Amino acid sequence: MDAAKPIVEGLTLVKLGDAASQYGAGNVLLVLLAVAITALAVDYSYMLYLHYKMPPGPLPLPIVGNTYSLPEHKPWIYFEQLSKQLNSPVITFWIGRNPTVWINDAWSASELLDKKAAIYASRPRMLVFAELTGIGQANLVNMYYGDRWRVHRKLTHLGVGLQQVRKYRGFQNNESQVMAYDTLHQPEKYVTHMERYATSVVSIIGFGRRVGKVDDPLITEVIAVMQRAAELNVPSKSFPMVMETFPWLAKFPKKITPWLKPFGNGGRGTAFFYALADEVKESEAEPCYVRQIFKEAPKYDLRKEEISSLTGNLFGAGSDTSSSTLVTFTLACCAFPETLPRAWEELDRVCGPHRSPTWDDEPNLPYVKAFMKEVLRWRSVAIIGGQPHAPIQDDYWNGYLIPKQTWVQGNTWAIHHNERDFPEPDRFNPCRFLKDDPASRPFPNEKGYMTFGWGRRVCSGQGLAEQGTFISVARFLWAFKIEKAKDEAGHEIPVDIFAYTNGLNMRPEPFKCSITPRSEEIRQTIEREGQQALSELSTFEGETQYRMSTFYKTPDAGVAKHMKPVAASA
């Protein structure tokens, strides 16, 4: 028995130790729980404080804010409706713990983003679009406001500034003539011809090399990438945008997180666009924007990532958006045929059938110019005004606080569908942009629309886009009858003016239409001008050796080579 006593006492001590250990662990858990509850209470108290200080909005819940109520598709319509419900053109909506301000009215947008442009010139943190994609702060699009932003803006204006774009009218007009020529011969492929046109114009500007084939990789691959990138800016409660609400989800290793796998290693497109630029630098192509950038690179100590972004932005801002605008124009012609006869009368009177319109005709084509403006208003491509703004200091609107670095978004859809400014907003009506017409309404800027953004962050390529949209809309109105397609029984196939994609840069879902020349004389003119344009564009013929789909799979594609420091090769 004596020998067994120590064993019993030892067992007793172990049990007591276990109990003490368990008691201590319980205390630790209670302390941690108390700390968590306190932190949550403090955090939520601050959220509620901001909720009552900032513009009106739904009551946020702890941690998740209002994210749960986001619709899966077209959130801009939801914010428009929410603005009406709250009877406030500026509202606050919480994406997780971060308040976002949505501006749903032209006059408020002008007051904040235009008149206070110096305050609202920066960007907020964009985890998904900027950080996970690897773009970071090397790109003007999401760059914080400051000296480096000013350098990139200046360099961008070298390519597409207002003083530059008039120099591009020759080849822009030629490419527009070729687009009409191609559409005449393959009207069922009108979307592809519009994409080729838009991509070719920016390719000539950027690389001195046109895109002559509809299956060129700059069309078939790069536009698809740009459309995908645009989707990464639409607020959502599903992946990947939910990571803006819960940024800690991006901290997990990518090997075990399926929501991060689509991002790969991030920044892969950077090498591709730099390779395109480097290819031109070493070639005998026509003088172009890329060569100007390489010339300026030492002066501004440009890294390769920056050269790549300046080059890639030409496509992001000029190809997908311009072609989408022209597809919207085609949809409007099909859906609102009553708007066409007045345009035809004006064009026939000014131009006749033996030549297509030119920019010199613009002062004599007020209705056609109004038609173009209504295209930009009716279904704006950048439907939520592009990238968000962020104030560089605390600001106030009607007594409400807008804190520094808050995500501030202009809801272009709501702005352009405000019935006070645009009665019957879903009706396509060019007369809105004729000064003396009863349909015309006051607007806070001279253009009458806010398609290209605001303040110091207004789209750098606005002048190029407006110039190209006018000449292309005028030429297609002059050249073609654009109508609803008919089925085998001869019945018109209806079109849906609300069937649009869900990306930041929206475009119509595919639809059928009939495109035929308005007369035999006009058909002959389209043929003659198209062939002449191809002859004049021959100096820009060329083709890149790179394809985005194979660039990262081919060992000799030179990814590592192209991403060495600029100083090593410039």
Side-chain angles (χ1 to χ4, degrees):
M1 293 294 295
D2 291 340
K5 186 174 181 180
I7 297 175
V8 173
E9 290 177 348
L11 291 173
T12 302
L13 290 172
V14 169
K15 290 179 180 179
L16 289 172
D18 288 345
S21 176
Q22 292 174 0
Y23 181 72
N27 277 343
V28 170
L29 290 175
L30 287 173
V31 170
L32 291 176
L33 181 61
V35 169
I37 292 173
T38 301
L40 180 64
V42 171
D43 184 68
Y44 189 50
S45 296
Y46 182 67
M47 289 176 65
L48 291 177
Y49 166 77
L50 287 181
H51 169 70
Y52 291 106
K53 294 280 288 184
M54 293 182 68
L59 183 71
L61 296 180
I63 301 177
V64 299
N66 307 122
T67 309
Y68 62 92
S69 64
L70 273 173
E72 291 293 337
H73 301 286
K74 298 177 174 58
W76 45 86
I77 298 177
Y78 170 74
F79 292 123
E80 176 192 33
Q81 295 169 344
L82 190 60
S83 175
K84 292 178 180 178
Q85 292 173 8
L86 296 169
N87 195 30
S88 175
V90 181
I91 62 173
T92 304
F93 187 90
W94 288 75
I95 305 294
R97 297 172 55 255
N98 300 318
T100 64
V101 171
W102 286 82
I103 305 174
N104 300 277
D105 162 87
W107 304 88
S108 300
S110 178
E111 177 185 345
L112 288 170
L113 304 180
D114 283 333
K115 295 179 180 178
K116 296 182 179 181
I119 295 176
Y120 287 88
S122 197
R123 297 290 194 217
R125 180 192 181 191
M126 290 183 281
L127 174 69
V128 175
F129 181 78
E131 297 178 22
L132 292 179
T133 58
I135 297 173
Q137 287 297 302
N139 196 307
L140 175 71
V141 173
N142 44 261
M143 194 177 287
Y144 301 137
Y145 185 68
D147 291 340
R148 204 59 183 169
W149 177 86
R150 280 184 279 270
V151 167
H152 276 245
R153 187 75 168 185
K154 179 180 179 180
L155 293 173
T156 299
H157 284 172
L158 288 178
V160 294
L162 290 176
Q163 295 180 350
Q164 296 294 322
V165 297
R166 291 183 66 88
K167 301 176 184 178
Y168 306 147
R169 284 187 170 185
F171 62 75
Q172 194 173 26
N173 181 62
N174 284 339
E175 288 290 9
S176 176
Q177 290 172 324
V178 173
M179 175 173 57
Y181 177 82
D182 290 340
T183 303
L184 176 67
H185 291 279
Q186 293 179 309
E188 72 283 359
K189 295 183 178 180
Y190 69 94
V191 173
T192 303
H193 300 318
M194 291 171 176
E195 290 177 340
R196 188 215 60 80
Y197 154 77
T199 306
S200 191
V201 168
V202 294
S203 183
I204 293 174
I205 294 171
F207 304 125
R209 179 183 61 230
R210 72 182 297 258
V211 175
K213 300 177 182 178
V214 295
D215 61 349
D216 188 289
L218 288 180
I219 303 174
T220 58
E221 297 172 359
V222 174
I223 285 184
V225 170
M226 294 303 176
Q227 290 174 347
R228 173 56 183 153
E231 294 174 3
L232 298 179
N233 278 301
V234 179
S236 172
K237 60 186 175 184
S238 57
F239 284 104
M241 288 304 294
V242 73
M243 287 187 285
E244 294 288 359
T245 301
F246 306 110
W248 50 268
L249 289 171
K251 299 294 185 181
F252 289 91
K254 292 181 180 178
K255 293 182 179 179
I256 63 172
T257 49
W259 58 83
L260 286 174
K261 288 182 180 178
F263 292 96
N265 295 322
R268 286 161 58 86
T270 301
F272 176 75
F273 282 113
Y274 185 82
L276 293 179
D278 190 54
E279 181 183 36
V280 172
K281 184 188 71 169
E282 303 297 336
S283 73
E284 297 181 358
E286 292 290 313
C288 58
Y289 177 59
V290 160
R291 289 188 171 179
Q292 287 183 286
I293 293 300
F294 275 108
K295 182 179 179 181
E296 298 290 330
K299 177 180 178 181
Y300 296 106
D301 194 24
L302 292 179
R303 295 178 290 117
K304 288 194 173 185
E305 291 82 0
E306 293 177 289
I307 293 175
S308 172
S309 73
L310 288 163
T311 303
N313 284 348
L314 278 176
F315 291 95
S319 56
D320 179 30
T321 53
S322 294
S323 59
S324 295
T325 299
L326 294 178
V327 178
T328 281
F329 155 72
T330 307
L331 177 64
C333 291
C334 292
F336 300 91
E338 69 277 7
T339 63
L340 300 176
R342 184 170 177 179
W344 293 336
E345 184 280 326
E346 189 173 79
L347 287 160
D348 289 343
R349 174 167 41 83
V350 173
C351 304
H354 300 298
R355 71 169 181 87
S356 62
T358 69
W359 281 286
D360 291 338
D361 297 317
E362 187 174 349
N364 299 317
L365 298 172
Y367 183 77
V368 172
K369 183 68 176 290
F371 203 107
M372 181 272 286
K373 288 186 173 184
E374 179 69 341
V375 169
L376 296 173
R377 191 283 310 176
W378 182 62
R379 294 290 187 266
S380 302
V381 174
I383 199 59
I384 51 176
Q387 306 293 339
H389 294 240
I392 60 175
Q393 65 187 51
D394 287 355
D395 190 38
Y396 290 87
W397 172 82
N398 284 3
Y400 291 107
L401 171 67
I402 300 178
K404 177 182 178 180
Q405 297 181 345
T406 298
W407 189 307
V408 178
Q409 196 85 55
N411 187 351
T412 312
W413 171 270
I415 289 169
H416 286 168
H417 284 74
N418 189 309
E419 294 190 3
R420 176 199 60 212
D421 301 325
F422 305 102
E424 296 183 88
D426 285 311
R427 180 187 170 208
F428 186 86
N429 181 13
C431 294
R432 304 180 198 278
F433 293 95
L434 298 175
K435 290 184 179 180
D436 298 328
D437 195 280
S440 177
R441 295 289 187 276
F443 203 75
N445 66 33
E446 292 183 1
K447 291 185 179 294
Y449 52 80
M450 293 181 167
T451 306
F452 297 95
W454 303 270
R456 298 182 184 179
R457 289 286 184 166
V458 69
C459 176
S460 299
Q462 177 175 352
L464 181 68
E466 291 173 329
Q467 179 173 285
T469 301
F470 170 76
I471 199 63
S472 297
V473 165
R475 178 162 286 117
F476 266 59
L477 287 172
W478 166 86
F480 299 113
K481 288 183 179 179
I482 303 175
E483 305 167 304
K484 295 185 182 75
K486 294 182 179 180
D487 59 23
E488 295 179 355
H491 300 129
E492 287 186 341
I493 301 173
V495 293
D496 185 353
I497 64 173
F498 296 100
Y500 271 73
T501 58
N502 193 53
L504 174 69
N505 291 338
M506 72 172 193
R507 67 160 55 192
E509 297 285 359
F511 64 94
K512 293 183 178 180
C513 68
S514 170
I515 303 178
T516 57
R518 291 177 52 227
S519 71
E520 175 59 23
E521 290 178 305
I522 286 177
R523 186 195 67 77
Q524 293 176 7
T525 303
I526 298 170
E527 291 272 9
R528 185 186 72 252
E529 290 187 346
Q531 292 171 5
Q532 179 65 30
L534 285 170
S535 175
E536 293 176 7
L537 288 168
S538 62
T539 184
F540 298 111
E541 292 296 339
E543 190 171 347
T544 176
Q545 64 174 308
Y546 299 113
R547 296 184 69 97
M548 183 173 280
S549 59
T550 59
F551 184 76
Y552 299 97
K553 298 177 182 178
T554 307
D556 61 355
V559 178
K561 164 197 164 185
H562 288 304
M563 295 318 294
K564 288 179 181 178
V566 173
S569 61

